[in-house]
Amino acid sequence: MKVYFLGVGGGIPSLDRTLPAIAIVHKRHILLFDCGEGTQLQLQRAKLSPQRITQIFISHLHGDHVLGLPGLLSTMAMQKRVKPVSVFGPTGIREFVEVMLNLTQAQIEFDLNINEVEKGIISQHEEYKVECLSANHNVPALTFILRMADIPGRFYPAKADKLGVFPQSLRKELVKGQAIVTPEGRRVTPDEVIGPSRPGAIIVYTGDTAPNPDLATHVKNVDLLIHDATFAEMHKEKAAEFLHSTARQAAQTAVQLEAKQLALVHISPRYASSEMHLNEATQVFPNTFAPKDLEMLHLRK
Ligand SMILES: [Zn+2]
Ligand SMILES: [Zn+2]
């Protein structure tokens, strides 16, 4: 799975950091989290086709997270897309998309499913599910949890040989989780020839949020935490006032969630570099990075 940090800035775009958008690429699908202005161009720079985007998750309706969406959907229409697209976001996302597309007379011919969501599992797929909960921001806002399906255990052909599991079609049944009976009349269960499955990767994208104590009750053992780190410690009053986080607070959350790694995003344009954020966060949680625009992380499990 690949995670593209298309835009890692917050509030106002700068030449170094564009507005929030994260693309998670899994096989042929792209899941897009937030769609700030300029996301289309960032997708082009990352060589990711909008045609592959199947689901779009919008954390909240502040302009820096959503103003790229009408343009992206219009492009899909102009490219004569036929595959459906689902959009998920807090209350208001439907009106926002509909008004923008109506006024600009976009000719959408694909199924556009707009879902206003609040909490719980919002999307379930064979290979992953997405859950959301309220973030701690100054407008209704969501934090998303992406859980990949369990990774199946390894099949041991030597064990199957020994138990007389022939032909191949019987092995396929075992892989699917079905017990079988061999031609010699022996019952074999999947756990006799297949190792234990392992939990799939978990990615959390907080969107804009002040520290949120609810998060740790929803998820632990996070493989990648992508957290609001708008401010450095010197501006922690501003973080509290506008319900954002400092990089240090993001790192404290990473500790609570027993995360494996932390990505600091939504850096305010007031900082020329994210070095201060990185220093402050790594003191609390060493495995932290501050991705640059278009940086890609290969997440292996
Ligand atoms: Zn924002
Ligand atoms: Zn916001």
Side-chain angles (χ1 to χ4, degrees):
M1 190 168 29
K2 291 175 179 167
V3 181
Y4 287 83
F5 298 91
L6 299 175
V8 299
I12 299 170
S14 69
L15 292 174
D16 294 324
R17 286 186 223 109
T18 62
L19 294 175
I22 294 158
I24 298 186
V25 182
H26 178 66
K27 298 184 183 166
R28 289 297 301 160
H29 301 280
I30 298 176
L31 308 182
L32 184 66
F33 290 82
D34 277 340
C35 192
E37 189 188 336
T39 298
Q40 294 200 66
L41 289 175
Q42 295 300 81
L43 284 164
Q44 287 186 22
R45 291 186 179 107
K47 301 198 165 34
L48 298 174
S49 164
Q51 298 289 355
R52 290 172 62 195
I53 298 173
T54 49
Q55 298 193 313
I56 302 173
F57 300 88
I58 300 294
S59 64
H60 64 301
L61 291 173
H62 277 157
D64 55 333
H65 297 255
V66 76
L67 286 176
L69 184 57
L72 178 62
L73 295 173
S74 300
T75 294
M76 289 174 174
M78 280 195 214
Q79 291 176 336
K80 303 276 176 243
R81 182 184 178 112
V82 287
K83 270 195 301 181
V85 180
S86 298
V87 176
F88 302 83
T91 305
I93 189 72
R94 180 187 308 282
E95 187 185 355
F96 171 76
V97 172
E98 285 177 357
V99 167
M100 294 294 266
L101 294 181
N102 285 339
L103 289 176
T104 55
Q105 300 189 20
Q107 308 285 320
I108 304 269
E109 280 165 29
F110 53 91
D111 273 340
L112 177 59
N113 310 302
I114 305 172
N115 306 275
E116 297 192 331
V117 294
E118 236 177 287
K119 61 176 179 196
I121 295 169
I122 54 173
S123 169
Q124 202 150 12
H125 189 269
E126 219 171 85
E127 286 157 357
Y128 63 84
K129 62 183 173 194
V130 181
E131 196 182 324
C132 73
L133 68 151
S134 286
N136 187 8
H137 198 37
N138 53 8
V139 295
L142 303 170
T143 285
F144 297 107
I145 304 170
L146 170 66
R147 295 177 199 266
M148 304 308 291
D150 287 353
I151 302 157
R154 230 185 108 193
F155 183 81
Y156 295 101
K159 288 190 185 176
D161 288 350
K162 217 170 158 189
L163 294 168
V165 182
F166 304 103
Q168 198 65 25
S169 57
L170 284 181
R171 299 189 177 205
K172 281 188 184 152
E173 291 296 306
L174 285 164
V175 170
K176 282 188 212 154
Q178 307 286 333
I180 55 103
V181 178
T182 68
E184 290 162 356
R186 179 176 193 153
R187 189 172 184 272
V188 179
T189 55
D191 59 315
E192 290 179 84
V193 294
I194 296 167
S197 62
R198 291 173 296 135
I202 301 177
I203 300 176
V204 173
Y205 170 54
T206 63
D208 289 4
T209 192
N212 180 4
D214 277 357
L215 192 50
T217 63
H218 277 81
V219 64
K220 285 268 167 76
N221 295 310
V222 171
D223 293 273
L224 173 64
L225 172 63
I226 305 169
H227 203 292
D228 176 331
T230 309
F231 294 102
E233 276 308 291
M234 63 194 284
H235 295 121
K236 70 173 178 216
E237 291 76 21
K238 285 212 180 310
E241 184 184 345
F242 298 106
L243 291 155
H244 282 292
S245 296
T246 65
R248 192 185 166 81
Q249 288 168 334
Q252 285 161 345
T253 303
V255 172
Q256 286 162 15
L257 299 192
E258 294 163 26
K260 294 198 180 65
Q261 50 186 333
L262 167 66
L264 304 173
V265 297
H266 202 269
I267 310 288
S268 159
R270 79 185 63 221
Y271 307 101
S273 102
S274 45
E275 210 172 311
M276 218 179 349
H277 296 66
L278 199 53
N279 284 338
E280 289 168 359
T282 47
Q283 283 168 24
V284 177
F285 183 82
N287 202 9
T288 301
F289 65 111
K292 292 192 162 43
D293 263 19
L294 296 171
E295 205 168 305
M296 188 270 279
L297 173 76
H298 213 135
L299 197 67
R300 288 195 176 85
K301 183 82 185 180

